[in-house]
């Protein structure tokens, strides 16, 4: 299970991944670098920017993921110079939030203790007609 936080114009999202064991415990945080989402009538469009930051549940350690893919996307022009500047700024902000326990991480302990309401029904996706 995942809870996702993303500000409307942010170049990253913060995801809290929970294990599906009986306790549904927080497994890790995952920061996905991406272009800002674009809202449409039936949902959102996103564009992944390849590089990610994986953070331990207790925020004690973190590591970069897929930097080689990011470098290749840069070489191929998939990640533009503008994207790259935004990613560099977003990387600095994300690392600062983790190390300072600010932003969404200011309540990390509360999110670690969060559990879904067992009475919530399983969501059903509506059929989306082609545009």
């Amino acid at each position: 299970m995942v809870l996702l936080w993303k500000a409307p114009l942010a170049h990253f999202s913060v995801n809290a991944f929970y294990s599906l064991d009986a306790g549904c415990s927080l497994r890790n945080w995952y920061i996905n670098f991406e272009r800002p989402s674009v809202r449409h009538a039936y949902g959102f469009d996103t564009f992944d920017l390849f590089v990610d930051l994986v953070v331990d549940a207790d925020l004690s350690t973190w590591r970069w993921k897929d930097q080689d893919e990011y470098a290749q996307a840069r070489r191929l022009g998939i990640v533009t110079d503008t994207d790259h500047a935004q990613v560099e700024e977003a990387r600095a902000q994300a690392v600062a939030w983790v190390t300072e326990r600010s932003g969404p991480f200011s309540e990390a302990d509360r999110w670690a203790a969060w559990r879904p309401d067992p009475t919530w029904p399983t969501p059903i996706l509506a059929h989306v007609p082609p545009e």
Side-chain angles (χ1 to χ4, degrees), residues 59-96:
L59 306 178
S60 62
T61 59
W62 48 268
R63 67 177 175 83
W64 292 105
K65 182 176 179 277
D66 300 330
Q67 291 197 94
D68 54 337
E69 290 179 24
Y70 180 78
Q72 178 68 5
R74 288 277 296 138
R75 283 190 292 275
L76 294 173
I78 297 167
V79 174
T80 66
D81 290 343
T82 301
D83 289 329
H84 179 65
Q86 294 292 334
V87 167
E88 290 302 300
E89 185 177 314
R91 280 189 196 224
Q93 182 178 24
V95 168

mmCIF file of all heavy atoms in Angstrom, residues 59-96:
data_model
loop_
_atom_site.group_PDB
_atom_site.id
_atom_site.type_symbol
_atom_site.label_atom_id
_atom_site.label_comp_id
_atom_site.label_asym_id
_atom_site.label_seq_id
_atom_site.Cartn_x
_atom_site.Cartn_y
_atom_site.Cartn_z
ATOM 1 N N LEU A 59 13.946 7.394 8.599
ATOM 2 C CA LEU A 59 14.670 8.532 8.012
ATOM 3 C C LEU A 59 16.159 8.549 8.335
ATOM 4 O O LEU A 59 16.834 9.540 8.088
ATOM 5 C CB LEU A 59 14.040 9.876 8.436
ATOM 6 C CG LEU A 59 12.550 10.059 8.173
ATOM 7 C CD1 LEU A 59 12.095 11.422 8.690
ATOM 8 C CD2 LEU A 59 12.225 9.913 6.713
ATOM 9 N N SER A 60 16.688 7.443 8.839
ATOM 10 C CA SER A 60 18.089 7.428 9.265
ATOM 11 C C SER A 60 19.075 7.370 8.098
ATOM 12 O O SER A 60 20.163 7.933 8.181
ATOM 13 C CB SER A 60 18.352 6.257 10.212
ATOM 14 O OG SER A 60 18.115 5.028 9.533
ATOM 15 N N THR A 61 18.707 6.704 7.023
ATOM 16 C CA THR A 61 19.593 6.606 5.867
ATOM 17 C C THR A 61 18.782 6.716 4.584
ATOM 18 O O THR A 61 17.585 6.440 4.568
ATOM 19 C CB THR A 61 20.393 5.284 5.852
ATOM 20 O OG1 THR A 61 19.474 4.196 5.834
ATOM 21 C CG2 THR A 61 21.315 5.155 7.052
ATOM 22 N N TRP A 62 19.473 7.116 3.529
ATOM 23 C CA TRP A 62 18.843 7.216 2.224
ATOM 24 C C TRP A 62 19.878 6.931 1.151
ATOM 25 O O TRP A 62 21.066 6.988 1.401
ATOM 26 C CB TRP A 62 18.193 8.587 2.031
ATOM 27 C CG TRP A 62 19.059 9.761 2.406
ATOM 28 C CD1 TRP A 62 19.115 10.372 3.617
ATOM 29 C CD2 TRP A 62 19.987 10.447 1.566
ATOM 30 N NE1 TRP A 62 20.020 11.410 3.574
ATOM 31 C CE2 TRP A 62 20.573 11.479 2.323
ATOM 32 C CE3 TRP A 62 20.388 10.288 0.230
ATOM 33 C CZ2 TRP A 62 21.531 12.344 1.808
ATOM 34 C CZ3 TRP A 62 21.347 11.150 -0.282
ATOM 35 C CH2 TRP A 62 21.893 12.170 0.503
ATOM 36 N N ARG A 63 19.363 6.592 -0.053
ATOM 37 C CA ARG A 63 20.254 6.301 -1.176
ATOM 38 C C ARG A 63 19.566 6.690 -2.477
ATOM 39 O O ARG A 63 18.339 6.607 -2.605
ATOM 40 C CB ARG A 63 20.665 4.835 -1.208
ATOM 41 C CG ARG A 63 19.530 3.880 -1.507
ATOM 42 C CD ARG A 63 19.972 2.423 -1.618
ATOM 43 N NE ARG A 63 18.839 1.546 -1.782
ATOM 44 C CZ ARG A 63 18.238 1.296 -2.933
ATOM 45 N NH1 ARG A 63 18.659 1.855 -4.047
ATOM 46 N NH2 ARG A 63 17.216 0.457 -2.988
ATOM 47 N N TRP A 64 20.386 7.116 -3.433
ATOM 48 C CA TRP A 64 19.870 7.451 -4.763
ATOM 49 C C TRP A 64 19.656 6.170 -5.552
ATOM 50 O O TRP A 64 20.405 5.211 -5.409
ATOM 51 C CB TRP A 64 20.848 8.363 -5.501
ATOM 52 C CG TRP A 64 20.921 9.714 -4.863
ATOM 53 C CD1 TRP A 64 21.940 10.197 -4.094
ATOM 54 C CD2 TRP A 64 19.930 10.728 -4.914
ATOM 55 N NE1 TRP A 64 21.631 11.458 -3.663
ATOM 56 C CE2 TRP A 64 20.399 11.811 -4.153
ATOM 57 C CE3 TRP A 64 18.680 10.827 -5.525
ATOM 58 C CZ2 TRP A 64 19.675 12.985 -3.994
ATOM 59 C CZ3 TRP A 64 17.959 12.005 -5.365
ATOM 60 C CH2 TRP A 64 18.449 13.059 -4.610
ATOM 61 N N LYS A 65 18.660 6.175 -6.401
ATOM 62 C CA LYS A 65 18.325 5.018 -7.232
ATOM 63 C C LYS A 65 18.202 5.494 -8.675
ATOM 64 O O LYS A 65 17.686 6.565 -8.940
ATOM 65 C CB LYS A 65 16.997 4.430 -6.732
ATOM 66 C CG LYS A 65 16.531 3.204 -7.462
ATOM 67 C CD LYS A 65 15.255 2.667 -6.790
ATOM 68 C CE LYS A 65 14.749 1.465 -7.504
ATOM 69 N NZ LYS A 65 13.936 1.806 -8.674
ATOM 70 N N ASP A 66 18.682 4.670 -9.596
ATOM 71 C CA ASP A 66 18.527 4.880 -11.044
ATOM 72 C C ASP A 66 19.258 6.109 -11.588
ATOM 73 O O ASP A 66 18.835 6.699 -12.583
ATOM 74 C CB ASP A 66 17.046 4.947 -11.435
ATOM 75 C CG ASP A 66 16.292 3.674 -11.073
ATOM 76 O OD1 ASP A 66 16.924 2.605 -11.077
ATOM 77 O OD2 ASP A 66 15.085 3.751 -10.785
ATOM 78 N N GLN A 67 20.376 6.457 -10.974
ATOM 79 C CA GLN A 67 21.151 7.594 -11.489
ATOM 80 C C GLN A 67 21.732 7.306 -12.868
ATOM 81 O O GLN A 67 21.880 8.217 -13.686
ATOM 82 C CB GLN A 67 22.256 7.971 -10.504
ATOM 83 C CG GLN A 67 21.686 8.562 -9.229
ATOM 84 C CD GLN A 67 22.723 9.298 -8.426
ATOM 85 O OE1 GLN A 67 22.841 10.506 -8.590
ATOM 86 N NE2 GLN A 67 23.466 8.595 -7.602
ATOM 87 N N ASP A 68 22.027 6.021 -13.151
ATOM 88 C CA ASP A 68 22.536 5.659 -14.475
ATOM 89 C C ASP A 68 21.460 5.864 -15.542
ATOM 90 O O ASP A 68 21.746 6.354 -16.637
ATOM 91 C CB ASP A 68 23.069 4.224 -14.491
ATOM 92 C CG ASP A 68 22.056 3.200 -13.999
ATOM 93 O OD1 ASP A 68 21.114 3.573 -13.250
ATOM 94 O OD2 ASP A 68 22.200 2.016 -14.344
ATOM 95 N N GLU A 69 20.220 5.525 -15.221
ATOM 96 C CA GLU A 69 19.124 5.739 -16.160
ATOM 97 C C GLU A 69 18.892 7.232 -16.390
ATOM 98 O O GLU A 69 18.612 7.666 -17.510
ATOM 99 C CB GLU A 69 17.835 5.088 -15.649
ATOM 100 C CG GLU A 69 17.887 3.580 -15.675
ATOM 101 C CD GLU A 69 16.610 2.957 -15.134
ATOM 102 O OE1 GLU A 69 15.549 3.628 -15.157
ATOM 103 O OE2 GLU A 69 16.677 1.807 -14.698
ATOM 104 N N TYR A 70 19.020 7.999 -15.315
ATOM 105 C CA TYR A 70 18.870 9.450 -15.425
ATOM 106 C C TYR A 70 19.947 10.021 -16.349
ATOM 107 O O TYR A 70 19.647 10.829 -17.239
ATOM 108 C CB TYR A 70 18.946 10.091 -14.035
ATOM 109 C CG TYR A 70 18.792 11.592 -14.049
ATOM 110 C CD1 TYR A 70 17.535 12.174 -14.191
ATOM 111 C CD2 TYR A 70 19.888 12.431 -13.917
ATOM 112 C CE1 TYR A 70 17.373 13.551 -14.204
ATOM 113 C CE2 TYR A 70 19.743 13.814 -13.927
ATOM 114 C CZ TYR A 70 18.485 14.360 -14.075
ATOM 115 O OH TYR A 70 18.338 15.731 -14.091
ATOM 116 N N ALA A 71 21.180 9.595 -16.161
ATOM 117 C CA ALA A 71 22.281 10.070 -17.010
ATOM 118 C C ALA A 71 22.030 9.709 -18.477
ATOM 119 O O ALA A 71 22.272 10.522 -19.380
ATOM 120 C CB ALA A 71 23.605 9.485 -16.533
ATOM 121 N N GLN A 72 21.545 8.510 -18.733
ATOM 122 C CA GLN A 72 21.246 8.091 -20.111
ATOM 123 C C GLN A 72 20.106 8.931 -20.689
ATOM 124 O O GLN A 72 20.179 9.360 -21.852
ATOM 125 C CB GLN A 72 20.891 6.600 -20.155
ATOM 126 C CG GLN A 72 20.532 6.080 -21.524
ATOM 127 C CD GLN A 72 21.696 6.061 -22.503
ATOM 128 O OE1 GLN A 72 22.833 6.356 -22.170
ATOM 129 N NE2 GLN A 72 21.403 5.708 -23.737
ATOM 130 N N ALA A 73 19.083 9.209 -19.891
ATOM 131 C CA ALA A 73 17.974 10.043 -20.352
ATOM 132 C C ALA A 73 18.451 11.459 -20.663
ATOM 133 O O ALA A 73 17.965 12.096 -21.598
ATOM 134 C CB ALA A 73 16.856 10.059 -19.311
ATOM 135 N N ARG A 74 19.422 11.946 -19.906
ATOM 136 C CA ARG A 74 20.026 13.255 -20.182
ATOM 137 C C ARG A 74 20.764 13.217 -21.520
ATOM 138 O O ARG A 74 20.611 14.124 -22.350
ATOM 139 C CB ARG A 74 21.011 13.658 -19.074
ATOM 140 C CG ARG A 74 20.393 14.041 -17.782
ATOM 141 C CD ARG A 74 19.925 15.473 -17.714
ATOM 142 N NE ARG A 74 21.038 16.412 -17.817
ATOM 143 C CZ ARG A 74 20.996 17.525 -18.544
ATOM 144 N NH1 ARG A 74 19.925 17.842 -19.207
ATOM 145 N NH2 ARG A 74 22.028 18.332 -18.584
ATOM 146 N N ARG A 75 21.571 12.154 -21.725
ATOM 147 C CA ARG A 75 22.334 12.037 -22.979
ATOM 148 C C ARG A 75 21.405 11.983 -24.191
ATOM 149 O O ARG A 75 21.718 12.528 -25.246
ATOM 150 C CB ARG A 75 23.224 10.794 -22.946
ATOM 151 C CG ARG A 75 24.474 10.948 -22.101
ATOM 152 C CD ARG A 75 25.437 9.793 -22.278
ATOM 153 N NE ARG A 75 24.934 8.549 -21.735
ATOM 154 C CZ ARG A 75 25.041 8.165 -20.459
ATOM 155 N NH1 ARG A 75 25.638 8.943 -19.580
ATOM 156 N NH2 ARG A 75 24.561 7.004 -20.064
ATOM 157 N N LEU A 76 20.261 11.310 -24.031
ATOM 158 C CA LEU A 76 19.315 11.158 -25.136
ATOM 159 C C LEU A 76 18.394 12.364 -25.310
ATOM 160 O O LEU A 76 17.618 12.414 -26.259
ATOM 161 C CB LEU A 76 18.467 9.897 -24.918
ATOM 162 C CG LEU A 76 19.220 8.579 -24.972
ATOM 163 C CD1 LEU A 76 18.301 7.420 -24.571
ATOM 164 C CD2 LEU A 76 19.811 8.342 -26.350
ATOM 165 N N GLY A 77 18.445 13.312 -24.388
ATOM 166 C CA GLY A 77 17.589 14.496 -24.468
ATOM 167 C C GLY A 77 16.185 14.281 -23.951
ATOM 168 O O GLY A 77 15.331 15.161 -24.093
ATOM 169 N N ILE A 78 15.920 13.126 -23.354
ATOM 170 C CA ILE A 78 14.592 12.866 -22.774
ATOM 171 C C ILE A 78 14.390 13.768 -21.559
ATOM 172 O O ILE A 78 13.318 14.330 -21.364
ATOM 173 C CB ILE A 78 14.439 11.378 -22.398
ATOM 174 C CG1 ILE A 78 14.539 10.513 -23.645
ATOM 175 C CG2 ILE A 78 13.134 11.139 -21.655
ATOM 176 C CD1 ILE A 78 14.704 9.026 -23.367
ATOM 177 N N VAL A 79 15.434 13.885 -20.752
ATOM 178 C CA VAL A 79 15.444 14.839 -19.641
ATOM 179 C C VAL A 79 16.154 16.080 -20.170
ATOM 180 O O VAL A 79 17.356 16.064 -20.434
ATOM 181 C CB VAL A 79 16.164 14.259 -18.403
ATOM 182 C CG1 VAL A 79 16.304 15.314 -17.322
ATOM 183 C CG2 VAL A 79 15.424 13.037 -17.874
ATOM 184 N N THR A 80 15.391 17.141 -20.365
ATOM 185 C CA THR A 80 15.917 18.375 -20.960
ATOM 186 C C THR A 80 16.776 19.149 -19.956
ATOM 187 O O THR A 80 16.793 18.836 -18.763
ATOM 188 C CB THR A 80 14.751 19.270 -21.405
ATOM 189 O OG1 THR A 80 14.040 19.697 -20.226
ATOM 190 C CG2 THR A 80 13.791 18.539 -22.354
ATOM 191 N N ASP A 81 17.454 20.165 -20.441
ATOM 192 C CA ASP A 81 18.220 21.038 -19.550
ATOM 193 C C ASP A 81 17.302 21.694 -18.525
ATOM 194 O O ASP A 81 17.669 21.844 -17.361
ATOM 195 C CB ASP A 81 18.968 22.111 -20.350
ATOM 196 C CG ASP A 81 20.116 21.536 -21.169
ATOM 197 O OD1 ASP A 81 20.553 20.395 -20.885
ATOM 198 O OD2 ASP A 81 20.579 22.236 -22.097
ATOM 199 N N THR A 82 16.107 22.078 -18.951
ATOM 200 C CA THR A 82 15.133 22.668 -18.027
ATOM 201 C C THR A 82 14.718 21.656 -16.970
ATOM 202 O O THR A 82 14.670 21.973 -15.781
ATOM 203 C CB THR A 82 13.902 23.177 -18.803
ATOM 204 O OG1 THR A 82 14.334 24.150 -19.759
ATOM 205 C CG2 THR A 82 12.864 23.778 -17.874
ATOM 206 N N ASP A 83 14.418 20.419 -17.405
ATOM 207 C CA ASP A 83 14.092 19.355 -16.452
ATOM 208 C C ASP A 83 15.238 19.156 -15.463
ATOM 209 O O ASP A 83 15.022 19.038 -14.259
ATOM 210 C CB ASP A 83 13.842 18.010 -17.169
ATOM 211 C CG ASP A 83 12.562 17.941 -17.950
ATOM 212 O OD1 ASP A 83 11.573 18.598 -17.561
ATOM 213 O OD2 ASP A 83 12.547 17.210 -18.966
ATOM 214 N N HIS A 84 16.454 19.114 -15.995
ATOM 215 C CA HIS A 84 17.624 18.864 -15.157
ATOM 216 C C HIS A 84 17.776 19.939 -14.078
ATOM 217 O O HIS A 84 18.037 19.627 -12.909
ATOM 218 C CB HIS A 84 18.888 18.791 -16.013
ATOM 219 C CG HIS A 84 20.131 18.568 -15.230
ATOM 220 N ND1 HIS A 84 20.368 17.416 -14.515
ATOM 221 C CD2 HIS A 84 21.195 19.370 -15.016
ATOM 222 C CE1 HIS A 84 21.547 17.512 -13.903
ATOM 223 N NE2 HIS A 84 22.066 18.692 -14.194
ATOM 224 N N ALA A 85 17.587 21.190 -14.449
ATOM 225 C CA ALA A 85 17.674 22.276 -13.464
ATOM 226 C C ALA A 85 16.608 22.108 -12.390
ATOM 227 O O ALA A 85 16.880 22.301 -11.198
ATOM 228 C CB ALA A 85 17.530 23.628 -14.166
ATOM 229 N N GLN A 86 15.401 21.715 -12.804
ATOM 230 C CA GLN A 86 14.314 21.498 -11.835
ATOM 231 C C GLN A 86 14.619 20.309 -10.926
ATOM 232 O O GLN A 86 14.351 20.338 -9.728
ATOM 233 C CB GLN A 86 12.983 21.296 -12.559
ATOM 234 C CG GLN A 86 12.486 22.509 -13.308
ATOM 235 C CD GLN A 86 12.092 23.640 -12.378
ATOM 236 O OE1 GLN A 86 11.727 23.430 -11.236
ATOM 237 N NE2 GLN A 86 12.178 24.859 -12.874
ATOM 238 N N VAL A 87 15.180 19.242 -11.502
ATOM 239 C CA VAL A 87 15.523 18.051 -10.713
ATOM 240 C C VAL A 87 16.606 18.388 -9.691
ATOM 241 O O VAL A 87 16.534 17.962 -8.533
ATOM 242 C CB VAL A 87 15.945 16.869 -11.611
ATOM 243 C CG1 VAL A 87 16.602 15.761 -10.803
ATOM 244 C CG2 VAL A 87 14.742 16.329 -12.377
ATOM 245 N N GLU A 88 17.612 19.145 -10.104
ATOM 246 C CA GLU A 88 18.686 19.505 -9.172
ATOM 247 C C GLU A 88 18.134 20.304 -7.989
ATOM 248 O O GLU A 88 18.506 20.070 -6.840
ATOM 249 C CB GLU A 88 19.793 20.275 -9.894
ATOM 250 C CG GLU A 88 20.596 19.400 -10.844
ATOM 251 C CD GLU A 88 21.241 18.216 -10.146
ATOM 252 O OE1 GLU A 88 22.059 18.429 -9.229
ATOM 253 O OE2 GLU A 88 20.917 17.060 -10.494
ATOM 254 N N GLU A 89 17.237 21.225 -8.275
ATOM 255 C CA GLU A 89 16.607 22.004 -7.206
ATOM 256 C C GLU A 89 15.742 21.104 -6.320
ATOM 257 O O GLU A 89 15.766 21.210 -5.095
ATOM 258 C CB GLU A 89 15.762 23.125 -7.817
ATOM 259 C CG GLU A 89 15.164 24.071 -6.810
ATOM 260 C CD GLU A 89 14.401 25.202 -7.483
ATOM 261 O OE1 GLU A 89 14.918 25.794 -8.451
ATOM 262 O OE2 GLU A 89 13.292 25.496 -7.026
ATOM 263 N N ALA A 90 14.985 20.222 -6.963
ATOM 264 C CA ALA A 90 14.110 19.306 -6.214
ATOM 265 C C ALA A 90 14.920 18.319 -5.373
ATOM 266 O O ALA A 90 14.529 17.979 -4.246
ATOM 267 C CB ALA A 90 13.195 18.557 -7.189
ATOM 268 N N ARG A 91 16.053 17.842 -5.905
ATOM 269 C CA ARG A 91 16.927 16.945 -5.122
ATOM 270 C C ARG A 91 17.369 17.629 -3.830
ATOM 271 O O ARG A 91 17.319 17.043 -2.761
ATOM 272 C CB ARG A 91 18.185 16.577 -5.916
ATOM 273 C CG ARG A 91 18.024 15.508 -6.940
ATOM 274 C CD ARG A 91 19.428 15.174 -7.430
ATOM 275 N NE ARG A 91 19.471 14.433 -8.651
ATOM 276 C CZ ARG A 91 20.281 13.387 -8.845
ATOM 277 N NH1 ARG A 91 21.093 12.981 -7.904
ATOM 278 N NH2 ARG A 91 20.296 12.757 -9.993
ATOM 279 N N ALA A 92 17.813 18.865 -3.949
ATOM 280 C CA ALA A 92 18.282 19.598 -2.769
ATOM 281 C C ALA A 92 17.152 19.769 -1.760
ATOM 282 O O ALA A 92 17.353 19.582 -0.548
ATOM 283 C CB ALA A 92 18.840 20.951 -3.182
ATOM 284 N N GLN A 93 15.967 20.096 -2.245
ATOM 285 C CA GLN A 93 14.835 20.282 -1.340
ATOM 286 C C GLN A 93 14.462 18.965 -0.658
ATOM 287 O O GLN A 93 14.237 18.929 0.550
ATOM 288 C CB GLN A 93 13.627 20.834 -2.083
ATOM 289 C CG GLN A 93 12.449 21.081 -1.152
ATOM 290 C CD GLN A 93 11.255 21.677 -1.861
ATOM 291 O OE1 GLN A 93 11.097 21.519 -3.076
ATOM 292 N NE2 GLN A 93 10.412 22.348 -1.109
ATOM 293 N N ALA A 94 14.409 17.874 -1.421
ATOM 294 C CA ALA A 94 14.032 16.573 -0.859
ATOM 295 C C ALA A 94 15.028 16.113 0.204
ATOM 296 O O ALA A 94 14.629 15.658 1.287
ATOM 297 C CB ALA A 94 13.915 15.539 -1.973
ATOM 298 N N VAL A 95 16.320 16.226 -0.081
ATOM 299 C CA VAL A 95 17.338 15.821 0.896
ATOM 300 C C VAL A 95 17.248 16.689 2.147
ATOM 301 O O VAL A 95 17.346 16.195 3.272
ATOM 302 C CB VAL A 95 18.754 15.856 0.269
ATOM 303 C CG1 VAL A 95 19.827 15.722 1.334
ATOM 304 C CG2 VAL A 95 18.893 14.755 -0.775
ATOM 305 N N ALA A 96 17.025 17.989 1.968
ATOM 306 C CA ALA A 96 16.879 18.883 3.125
ATOM 307 C C ALA A 96 15.677 18.471 3.965
ATOM 308 O O ALA A 96 15.762 18.431 5.203
ATOM 309 C CB ALA A 96 16.746 20.327 2.666
#
